[in-house]
Amino acid sequence: MGVERLHVDLVRPDRYGGAHSESFGDATNLRRDPGHLSAFGVEGFKQMIAKVVKDYPFKVVATTLRKAKTATLNDWGAICYHDGKFYQAKNRENLEIFDRVGGGDSFASGLIYGFLAGQDPQWSVECGAAHGALAMTTPGDTSMVTFQEVMQVMKGVGARIAR
């Protein structure tokens, strides 16, 4: 496995397949306890990330938190580790999905935008989670949402914005 693949998995452990906790474990040689994936929640990811940052000097590690109830109904959130602290985005329960392709990429771009714009980690993870949620309400893997729409979702407007 190349360093590029490892870096992508550490930044977004859900990148390679739907069972992202297993992908994260594969990429880092960390394994979680056996059990059903739905039982592997926020605390499990925090433990994995804490182990990873002891071995790798990453400044930021983040992942989406998705619980797929059906193909069109998911719970959606995210966490971010930065400078020894964890930050968690608002969990969006029962998010109606139009097309889930691109949700993780949109999360990553929103998170990165926040840091590049000089925002704090909490704002950045909220921006990423909001952008990812909005992206999944449109078809395809390219975000079709505006910055204003992301800001509205961050303020509490639902992800199903009228267009």
Side-chain angles (χ1 to χ4, degrees):
M1 171 186 320
V3 172
E4 181 179 84
R5 165 87 190 264
L6 178 61
H7 175 72
V8 171
D9 280 344
L10 288 173
V11 174
R12 286 208 28 255
D14 64 328
R15 178 71 175 165
Y16 299 100
H20 55 259
S21 63
E22 289 176 349
S23 299
F24 190 66
D26 290 344
T28 60
N29 291 322
L30 295 172
R31 301 286 186 255
R32 64 179 177 79
D33 293 330
H36 193 271
L37 286 175
S38 65
F40 193 78
V42 176
E43 291 308 314
F45 277 107
K46 285 182 177 181
Q47 289 173 13
M48 282 183 127
I49 291 169
K51 289 178 184 177
V52 167
V53 297
K54 285 181 183 178
D55 295 332
Y56 301 95
F58 290 109
K59 293 184 178 183
V60 177
V61 180
T63 186
T64 58
L65 304 169
R66 177 195 307 266
K67 181 178 180 186
K69 295 178 176 182
T70 69
T72 57
L73 201 61
N74 290 190
D75 291 346
W76 173 261
I79 59 170
C80 172
Y81 170 90
H82 180 266
D83 281 342
K85 294 182 181 177
F86 284 96
Y87 302 86
Q88 186 169 347
K90 172 188 172 190
N91 188 47
R92 291 168 174 83
E93 292 186 13
N94 299 316
L95 178 66
E96 190 175 338
I97 307 295
F98 181 82
D99 184 349
R100 73 176 264 174
V101 175
D105 291 338
S106 295
F107 162 73
S109 66
L111 177 83
I112 293 166
Y113 169 81
F115 281 110
L116 291 176
Q119 299 292 338
D120 65 34
Q122 185 63 47
W123 192 97
S124 299
V125 75
E126 293 287 358
C127 182
H131 189 222
L134 279 168
M136 293 184 292
T137 68
T138 61
D141 63 351
T142 302
S143 178
M144 299 173 63
V145 302
T146 66
F147 180 71
Q148 181 180 12
E149 289 172 327
V150 173
M151 299 308 310
Q152 287 177 312
V153 170
M154 287 175 68
K155 291 176 184 172
V157 174
R160 279 300 220 187
I161 292 177
R163 292 188 170 86

